[in-house]
Amino acid sequence: MRTQVAIIGSGPAGLMLGRLLSRAGIDNVIVERQSADHVLSRIRAGVLEQGSVELIEQAGIGERMRQEGIVHHGTVLAFDGDSHRFDFTDLVGRSVMVYGQTEVTRDLMRARNTDGAPSVYDAAHVAIHDIDGARPRVTYIRDGQTHEIACDFVAGCDGFHGAARASIPADAIRTFERAYPFGWLGILVDRPPVADELIYAHHARGFALCSMRSPTRSRYYVQCAIDEKVEAWSDERFWDELRRRLPPAAADALQTGPSIEKSIAPLRSFVAEPMRFGRLFLAGDAAHIVPPTGAKGLNLALGDVRYLAGALIAHYRDGSDAGLDGYSAKALARVWKAERFSWWMTTLLHTFPDMGPFERRMQRAEFDNLVSSRAAAMAMAESYAGPPY
Ligand code: FAS
Ligand code: PHB
């Protein structure tokens, strides 16, 4: 098989890139190691920045998001029982959209079927070859047969554990990493959300987050030990712990029910530089990871794709490689801003085992400064709602 762009990974980054390239008439193939159902079964992000909403609209897949998504003009931060609402629209004139990553992925998969662009699922042993030459190749095994895709470019959209970043020679890539000493235990439940907007809560027992997927489906998280096992958490234990960490009014309003999904995610900050090696371009979690506290992971992936799609379209349409040559630096500038914000939100709101009395007072002072300083609140709102592209 031959194509112009081979895309590794059928998550939001790979699917969005494929959609934008197909709409520009650029041939592309997606190679995914899991099944489509498995990709859709993963429960992940819930909040879209305004820039991501605009990209989804530009990609022509915004209809269901407009119908089912929930626009949020602010969020609540709670600190040891004190709560404060930050009004993004008042502070920086921007809002966010609550519309789950699963739904974005579903909309993109449907669009790809309409485009008639090829996707290969259940592809094993995906390998990338000759990325430092003019004729890169992707090989994979499916149904016992080895297949090869000759292409002009390879987009590594295969997440943190994928094959793409691993294909880059160790001396050609530099990584930056911080693993956090805790995880997030998340639960999905078909009950109305506890509040109209999200609640991020700091508590001495640990961080908690109240989010949602729709007016009838909620998503909750509690900070847990890094070695926790999800089997050790009955629904009842989860609800009791969540109630203890929420402000009293929210704890009283909480509607509990049987979980329809329960999982633990580790928290990590990670960046790989550069995001290009020869004809291989990295996008999304393949290049960077943020702790979900700032709701940036999915939005960063879509931001990378916005840049990469534009650069590839300019290459094929105008014969210009300025976008491709500038992709890594441009994407990384936005990535590091999001890394800072996600690290800052995580440090502000979580309990760290090695934190002493002074550091805990600094957390409180940071919260009090956000509440009392409009300038500080504006800076937080700009980062959370997403800086303009
Ligand atoms: P993805 O990981 O979504 O997709 C990569 C795809 O590549 C996957 O389908 C994978 O199967 C495939 N793949 C991997 N290796 C391959 C190979 N060798 N060959 C072919 N295919 C391969 N972000 C938030 O903003 N908020 C959250 O609450 C949040 N929660 C998260 C919870 C978890 C458990 C995880 C892991 C991430 C979470 N994230 C969250 C971040 C998440 O939303 C990512 O940022 C987002 O999925 C990034 O999209 P992609 O870059 O497409 O990577
Ligand atoms: C979610 O709804 O899953 C969610 C929302 C905001 C975050 C993290 C996760 O910061």
Side-chain angles (χ1 to χ4, degrees):
M1 182 191 294
R2 188 178 202 307
T3 190
Q4 289 173 297
V5 181
I7 300 170
I8 317 294
S10 184
L15 285 164
M16 179 58 86
L17 180 60
R19 173 66 173 175
L20 296 175
L21 294 180
S22 295
R23 281 166 70 89
I26 296 169
D27 291 338
N28 63 90
V29 177
I30 290 179
V31 181
E32 163 62 52
R33 75 173 168 190
Q34 303 286 1
S35 69
D37 287 345
H38 179 94
V39 173
L40 286 171
S41 70
R42 292 188 295 234
I43 304 301
R44 289 195 176 164
V47 174
L48 298 175
E49 293 176 358
Q50 196 164 308
S52 298
V53 170
E54 291 160 1
L55 184 67
I56 288 168
E57 295 285 10
Q58 286 167 25
I61 58 159
E63 185 180 356
R64 203 159 68 95
M65 177 186 67
R66 284 193 303 275
Q67 290 166 355
E68 299 176 18
I70 309 168
V71 176
H72 280 193
H73 295 282
T75 196
V76 169
L77 295 193
F79 204 100
D80 299 344
D82 296 329
S83 295
H84 185 82
R85 179 176 183 268
F86 294 87
D87 186 327
F88 305 142
T89 304
D90 167 53
L91 288 162
V92 293
R94 294 172 78 78
S95 59
V96 296
M97 170 81 79
V98 170
Y99 188 66
Q101 173 172 326
T102 306
E103 304 321 313
V104 176
T105 305
R106 197 187 315 277
D107 294 339
L108 283 164
M109 284 183 176
R110 285 175 181 161
R112 190 162 184 85
N113 290 340
T114 307
D115 292 340
S119 294
V120 178
Y121 287 96
D122 300 308
H125 303 292
V126 175
I128 306 167
H129 312 273
D130 305 330
I131 50 179
D132 53 353
R135 308 174 68 80
R137 296 174 297 118
V138 173
T139 56
Y140 62 91
I141 295 175
R142 192 170 192 282
D143 302 328
Q145 297 287 321
T146 298
H147 301 264
E148 178 175 287
I149 302 172
C151 53
D152 299 333
F153 300 101
V154 180
C157 302
D158 51 351
F160 183 69
H161 301 289
R165 190 176 72 248
S167 305
I168 298 174
D171 62 359
I173 195 166
R174 187 176 173 197
T175 60
F176 305 81
E177 183 163 11
R178 175 174 187 191
Y180 294 87
F182 40 75
W184 278 19
L185 167 61
I187 202 168
L188 200 61
V189 63
D190 278 332
R191 288 290 186 279
V194 71
D196 293 340
E197 294 174 329
L198 272 59
I199 301 173
Y200 290 82
H202 172 281
H203 189 278
R205 296 178 65 89
F207 168 79
L209 170 59
C210 301
S211 184
M212 61 193 76
R213 291 292 180 271
S214 75
T216 59
R217 177 167 289 188
S218 300
R219 178 75 167 161
Y220 295 105
Y221 297 93
V222 294
Q223 173 185 345
C224 63
I226 190 66
D227 56 358
E228 270 291 3
K229 298 287 180 273
V230 69
E231 297 76 23
W233 285 81
S234 67
D235 288 0
E236 187 181 2
R237 181 184 176 194
F238 181 92
W239 297 126
D240 288 347
E241 190 58 40
L242 178 64
R243 276 199 197 88
R244 290 179 180 187
R245 300 185 187 186
L246 293 180
D252 292 343
L254 184 65
Q255 294 190 48
T256 65
S259 59
I260 56 177
E261 193 271 353
K262 196 187 297 177
S263 56
I264 293 177
L267 270 65
R268 173 187 287 118
S269 296
F270 174 87
V271 179
E273 291 186 350
M275 290 171 56
R276 172 195 190 174
F277 182 79
R279 296 244 171 175
L280 170 64
F281 293 83
L282 303 179
D285 278 16
H288 42 73
I289 296 286
V290 285
T293 325
K296 290 295 155 211
L298 170 59
N299 292 294
L300 272 183
L302 296 177
D304 292 347
V305 165
R306 177 197 282 252
Y307 293 143
L308 183 55
L312 288 165
I313 291 166
H315 169 84
Y316 286 108
R317 186 172 286 170
D318 313 327
S320 164
D321 281 355
L324 291 174
D325 294 341
Y327 165 71
S328 179
K330 192 173 183 183
L332 283 168
R334 193 172 181 91
V335 165
W336 278 112
K337 284 183 180 176
E339 290 285 347
R340 180 207 66 83
F341 175 68
S342 305
W343 163 82
W344 174 81
M345 279 280 272
T346 303
T347 304
L348 169 65
L349 294 168
H350 289 73
T351 52
F352 287 71
D354 61 351
M355 245 185 198
F358 177 79
E359 288 78 10
R360 286 196 294 273
R361 291 306 284 263
M362 284 299 98
Q363 285 183 312
R364 179 73 214 204
E366 188 72 52
F367 175 77
D368 292 340
N369 185 53
L370 279 172
V371 172
S372 60
S373 161
R374 183 174 173 83
M378 286 172 71
M380 188 275 273
E382 180 186 61
S383 293
Y384 190 95
Y389 277 92

